[in-house]
Amino acid sequence: MQPKPNIVHLPVYQPGKPVDDVKRELGLTEVLKLASNENPFGSSPKAKEAIARELDNISIYPDGAAVELTNALAKHHGVNTDQIIFGAGSDEIILMIARAYLASGDETIMADQTFPQYKHNAQIENAKIIEVPLKEGTHDLYAMLEQVTDKTKVVWVCNPNNPTGTINTSDEVEWFLSKVPAHVLVVLDEAYCEYLVDPSYPDGLALLQKYPNVILLRTFSKIFGLASLRIGYGIGRPDVIRSINQVREPFNTSRFGQAAALAALQDEDFIAFCREENRKGLAFFNQAFEELGLKAFPAHGNFIMVDVQRSGQEVFDALLRKGVIVRAGHKLYPTSIRITVGSQEQNEKVIAALKAVLQEIAVKV
């Protein structure tokens, strides 16, 4: 039995290397993982309490419409309830957008180094993929606009961009949206927006009010610390959300995910703490890289991408042997690694390990 011919060549998504695998393979007792942009401070105590209260309801299906969470989120963002859709992480929203809007022969535009699920899901739908080179690690919105045609259905803008961590400013995004034809859906993936402290970052909700062909993607996996519960959401105009809902699977988010997200949304102190600690962590990394003579992209999420000036894979492997998991293997940045911002103690361990690795490689050379 043969699968669809357009998917046989697709790579399987490779997550960050699991801690237990590294311990077992290398005989280590302590391993630090800063590869998957998880929240090093966990999740809100309120979310944990909400999960515990749901334990007696394991045998009961979740609310397929996530009514309570939808109401709370709509109030939180100042939108209507028919403007929100949930998925098993924002990854599933990406899948649903591709399924709802892309058909064989349609064109879709994205950066050439960005979150890989845009391309992956577009390939499944057999759409024509147009990749536009990043400009200094940032989406080149001018070049992307030049690629828009009558066949263009979806444009993907990851902001902050994963893996580079850069942002497009409010002025850049506003200009872009003012020029994109109305028949093109523009996906603004704002998975890391809660970490932002830069005033030039776009107000996605304000843009949504002005441009009906925009959908925002957000998630509870990052700053809210609910990655394992797989719950993300999209915010768009009612007609866009209705179309995406038509391809949504029933009960696609769990009782635990909905309950934890509702509680996490209400713990503003926890979010503020995580944002501030992340800001300090980025400052620490930037100073450390400067002292090491390394250049990093301007980072705005909870991760930073740095050019280590030699094979990123080699540095990754050497760090792994020291019990530190980061991310490498980015096709357009082969001498770079991406590091998730951890606690101060974790950040110091990463830098100490990186210094040792760079010295060891220099001695070999």
Side-chain angles (χ1 to χ4, degrees):
M1 187 174 295
Q2 295 295 319
K4 294 165 61 176
N6 61 299
I7 73 165
V8 294
H9 67 288
L10 296 185
V12 177
Y13 180 78
Q14 297 296 322
K17 200 168 180 65
V19 169
D20 289 341
D21 285 359
V22 175
K23 287 182 178 179
R24 183 172 54 255
E25 292 171 9
L26 299 178
L28 299 172
T29 57
E30 182 179 350
V31 172
L32 172 60
K33 180 187 176 187
L34 293 178
S36 299
N37 303 341
E38 295 151 331
N39 189 334
F41 304 106
S43 57
S44 164
K46 295 181 180 180
K48 296 175 184 178
E49 293 167 4
I51 292 170
R53 289 194 294 269
E54 282 296 321
L55 289 174
D56 290 338
N57 297 321
I58 290 177
S59 62
I60 303 173
Y61 281 113
D63 174 5
V67 171
E68 189 175 6
L69 179 57
T70 299
N71 288 336
L73 202 57
K75 182 178 180 180
H76 180 77
H77 289 307
V79 298
N80 297 324
T81 56
D82 60 359
Q83 292 184 257
I84 296 173
I85 186 169
F86 290 97
S90 55
D91 310 56
E92 191 188 20
I93 309 293
I94 294 168
L95 180 153
M96 289 189 284
I97 290 172
R99 181 175 291 178
Y101 284 94
L102 295 176
S104 181
D106 288 339
E107 295 179 358
T108 183
I109 301 170
M110 63 199 69
D112 61 348
Q113 184 72 79
T114 190
F115 189 49
Q117 292 306 100
Y118 311 143
K119 182 176 182 178
H120 181 82
N121 284 289
Q123 287 175 312
I124 292 173
E125 303 305 327
N126 207 27
K128 180 180 178 181
I129 295 159
I130 298 171
E131 296 179 280
V132 177
L134 293 175
K135 187 175 182 180
E136 297 180 355
T138 302
H139 282 68
D140 188 343
L141 298 181
Y142 295 92
M144 293 177 80
L145 182 65
E146 290 178 347
Q147 296 296 325
V148 174
T149 72
D150 291 342
K151 294 182 179 180
T152 306
K153 290 293 184 66
V154 182
V155 177
W156 311 85
V157 180
C158 190
N159 200 31
N161 186 44
N162 183 6
T164 57
T166 57
I167 63 168
N168 287 99
T169 66
S170 179
D171 288 345
E172 291 170 345
V173 175
E174 174 88 28
W175 174 87
F176 179 71
L177 293 176
S178 71
K179 302 294 184 181
V180 173
H183 74 272
V184 178
L185 179 66
V186 179
V187 181
L188 297 180
D189 189 342
E190 300 180 334
Y192 300 91
C193 67
E194 291 89 358
Y195 283 108
L196 264 292
V197 294
D198 190 322
S200 71
Y201 186 69
D203 181 344
L205 291 166
L207 292 172
L208 178 61
Q209 292 181 3
K210 191 172 181 181
Y211 300 100
N213 58 330
V214 168
I215 182 170
L216 311 177
L217 301 189
R218 305 231 175 143
T219 183
F220 285 93
S221 295
K222 303 306 179 183
I223 203 168
F224 292 98
L226 303 179
S228 70
L229 297 181
R230 310 309 301 126
I231 185 160
Y233 60 100
I235 311 174
R237 292 294 181 94
D239 58 321
V240 173
I241 297 301
R242 188 181 309 112
S243 296
I244 300 171
N245 241 327
Q246 288 176 307
V247 300
R248 180 178 63 85
E249 297 294 330
F251 310 118
N252 63 327
T253 59
S254 70
R255 297 187 69 94
F256 296 109
Q258 292 179 27
L262 180 61
L265 189 67
Q266 298 165 353
D267 195 344
E268 296 180 0
D269 289 342
F270 177 77
I271 300 305
F273 166 77
C274 293
R275 182 186 300 114
E276 177 60 14
E277 290 302 305
N278 187 74
R279 184 195 65 78
K280 293 177 183 176
L282 287 175
F284 171 80
F285 275 128
N286 280 314
Q287 181 178 345
F289 294 148
E290 185 176 351
E291 292 172 356
L292 288 169
L294 304 178
K295 185 177 181 180
F297 283 116
H300 296 272
N302 69 332
F303 57 92
I304 188 165
M305 192 173 191
V306 59
D307 185 350
V308 291
Q309 301 174 2
R310 66 263 300 151
S311 167
Q313 189 63 48
E314 182 182 7
V315 172
F316 168 86
D317 291 337
L319 286 172
L320 201 63
R321 291 191 292 271
K322 294 184 181 297
V324 175
I325 309 173
V326 295
R327 200 69 184 247
H330 300 97
K331 61 180 181 180
L332 301 182
Y333 303 102
T335 62
S336 293
I337 59 174
R338 191 194 71 188
I339 307 172
T340 302
V341 179
S343 65
Q344 183 60 25
E345 180 183 3
Q346 291 173 330
N347 297 339
E348 290 174 0
K349 287 182 178 179
V350 172
I351 291 300
L354 180 60
K355 286 180 179 178
V357 163
L358 295 179
Q359 290 173 354
E360 291 167 4
I361 293 176
V363 169
K364 290 180 182 178
V365 174

